[in-house]
Amino acid sequence: VMREALRVLSFFGGRELKVDVAHAGRTAHDASGHVLPEITERLVLDSDAVLLGAIGDNRPGDYEDGLRPETALLALRKSMGCSINLRPILCTAQPLGSRYGYAAGSDILIVRELNGCAYYGRPRGTRLVHATGAIVPEGFDTMRYSDAEVRRVARFALEAARHRRGMVLSVDKANVLSTSRLWRDSVASTACEYTDVHLEHCYVDSASVEVMTRPHDFDVVLTGNL
């Protein structure tokens, strides 16, 4: 896939484009024992743009952070400051014979925060605990967001909505999670700077149903990392 992508890139970039190739994920681990070699990270940070391919499959036993291919992806996001992920949904025409024809003409931009929440929170891991008279394994993660992290992605979503239809749906789980309550408060406070944008809040389970059943009613959907 990357070989063909580079052919397309070369067609548009011509001789003025200098392309360096480096490995990350599974291929990097197989070659060097590290999912993100120092030379790869250095090339990434020194480049004007990054074209990222697939990072490879997990294998049995890849339970430690340093062995899983995804570790390289998360580390790259962190070192590059890639905190915002854009996932557009654009249904321009009704698929022939499709029972989802009602979605034709819908245009949604999902803005996902990418550098916080349970993906990066510490501590995390597995441990043995005493329970019901036995020693059993337990897994744990830490979900964490700062006000600044939430405001950064909220501001991006609100700015995007200004150039679209002026609506933002912020998705959280504020009825259960303290992290989500901070998320909701920070988003609402940031939205006060954007009086021309209409902001609504919705729990994630309800939002999933609403977006699927009435997609035309949504413009920008703002979500956390998880």
Side-chain angles (χ1 to χ4, degrees), residues 158 160-168 194 196-199 219-220:
L158 291 158
R162 271 184 168 171
H163 300 284
R164 292 169 54 90
R165 288 181 288 144
M167 299 184 296
V168 172
Y194 297 83
D196 54 331
V197 176
H198 177 69
L199 171 68
D219 182 19
V220 176

Side-chain angles (χ1 to χ4, degrees), residues 27-109:
T27 56
H29 183 268
D30 290 346
S32 67
H34 301 281
V35 293
L36 185 60
E38 184 180 345
I39 186 172
T40 298
E41 190 167 12
R42 188 165 62 246
L43 277 172
V44 164
L45 295 177
D46 288 344
S47 298
D48 296 313
V50 177
L51 177 65
L52 178 68
I55 55 172
D57 287 336
N58 281 297
R59 291 178 181 169
D62 283 359
Y63 296 117
E64 299 177 23
D65 280 352
L67 296 179
R68 294 199 312 273
E70 294 91 344
T71 307
L73 186 60
L74 295 179
L76 282 172
R77 289 176 184 171
K78 199 71 173 178
S79 62
M80 295 175 68
C82 295
S83 61
I84 296 170
N85 177 259
L86 303 181
R87 303 199 174 199
I89 301 173
L90 182 62
C91 187
T92 55
Q94 177 175 337
L96 290 176
S98 171
R99 60 192 179 97
Y100 300 109
Y102 69 89
S106 55
D107 181 2
I108 305 172
L109 176 64

